[in-house]
Amino acid sequence: MSDKPAASKSEAPKAEAGKAAAEAAPGSGGMQAWLPLILAVVLMPVLAWVTTSFVIVPKVLKARETPAAHEGEEPEAAAHDAGGEHASDDKHESGKDSHAKEPKKDAHGKEAAKGKKKQNYQISKLIVNVAGSMGTRYLMTSATLVGTKPDFKELIEENKDQLLDLTIGVLSTKTINDLEKPGARNQIRSELISVYNNALGSGLVQEIYFTEFAIQ
C-alpha cells in the first residue's frame, strides 16, 4: 500500500510535461504553415527590385538606343545615295561634255568649225589648157574658197600667186575624159582642198564652190 502513492507522484511531472509538449506541438505546426507566406512577402520586393534593375531597365535602354542608332545612320545613307546620284550625274554630264567636245568633220575629213563665221575668197575666170588637146581645148572656171580662220582672207591674199599656181597645176593635168566623168567636179574639188591645205596650212580651206566650169 505504501508503494502505489509514490508511483503516482513520480508520474505526475511526466504527465504535465507530455501535456505541455502536446500543447506546444500544434503551435509549432501553425508556424511552419505560415513560413512560406512570410518568406514570399519578404522576398517579393527584393525580386521585384532585381527584375527591374537587371532585366526591365536594360531592355528599355536598349530599345531607346536602337532607334537612335538608325536615325544616325539615315543621314549617312542619304548622303551616300546623294553622292551616288551626284557621281552618276557627273559621269552623265562628263559623257555629254565629251560628246559635245568631239569635233564634227565634213565630207573631206576636216573639222567643221561650228559656230565660227565663214569667210569667202573668189577666184574668177581662171583658164587652163586641157591635157592632151594640143592647145585646142581649154577649161574656164571660177571658184569660191571658204574658210573659218579669222585671218583667212589675209592668208589667201599673201599667198595668192602660189594659190593660183597650185590651181593651174591641178587643172592642167585633166584630160577631156577626166573632166567629163561623172563626179569630176567633186574629184577636182577634193584634190584642190588637199593641195591648198598642204601648202598654206592644215584646215585653212574647208570648202570650194565652182561658180563656173566650162570646157571649150
Side-chain angles (χ1 to χ4, degrees):
M1 295 295 289
S2 60
D3 294 335
K4 291 181 180 179
S8 62
K9 289 180 180 181
S10 61
E11 292 176 355
K14 294 181 179 180
E16 291 177 1
K19 184 177 181 181
E23 291 177 356
S28 62
M31 182 63 69
Q32 291 178 357
W34 285 94
L35 185 59
L37 182 58
I38 294 171
L39 291 174
V41 173
V42 173
L43 294 176
M44 280 182 63
V46 177
L47 292 175
W49 179 81
V50 172
T51 304
T52 303
S53 300
F54 295 97
V55 178
I56 298 176
V57 173
K59 288 184 177 181
V60 172
L61 294 176
K62 186 176 180 180
R64 289 181 179 178
E65 291 175 358
T66 302
H70 287 299
E71 290 177 0
E73 291 175 358
E74 287 178 358
E76 295 180 0
H80 179 70
D81 294 340
E85 291 178 359
H86 287 304
S88 62
D89 292 341
D90 292 340
K91 290 182 179 179
H92 186 61
E93 292 297 331
S94 64
K96 287 183 178 179
D97 293 341
S98 63
H99 287 299
K101 291 179 181 178
E102 289 181 359
K104 294 183 178 180
K105 295 185 178 181
D106 58 15
H108 303 289
K110 304 297 186 298
E111 295 181 0
K114 185 178 181 180
K116 293 183 179 181
K117 185 178 179 181
K118 292 183 178 181
Q119 300 187 56
N120 299 334
Y121 186 89
Q122 294 182 350
I123 298 176
S124 300
K125 304 295 182 179
L126 185 62
I127 300 174
V128 296
N129 291 321
V130 176
S133 66
M134 303 297 291
T136 60
R137 307 290 298 271
Y138 62 89
L139 170 67
M140 183 182 71
T141 182
S142 297
T144 300
L145 311 184
V146 181
T148 57
K149 289 188 176 182
D151 55 349
F152 174 74
K153 290 183 178 181
E154 290 78 359
L155 290 173
I156 296 297
E157 283 291 344
E158 290 175 0
N159 299 276
K160 182 177 181 181
D161 292 340
Q162 183 182 5
L163 184 70
L164 293 175
D165 182 67
L166 293 171
T167 306
I168 293 172
V170 171
L171 296 179
S172 62
T173 62
K174 304 302 178 184
T175 64
I176 292 294
N177 291 333
D178 294 334
L179 296 174
E180 292 180 347
K181 286 181 180 179
R185 292 187 184 185
N186 291 333
Q187 179 65 31
I188 294 172
R189 181 183 293 112
S190 298
E191 290 182 20
L192 289 175
I193 289 175
S194 177
V195 169
Y196 293 160
N197 289 333
N198 287 336
L200 305 179
S202 177
L204 178 63
V205 179
Q206 296 180 349
E207 300 174 19
I208 296 177
Y209 299 110
F210 289 111
T211 56
E212 286 184 293
F213 197 89
I215 304 171
Q216 296 182 6

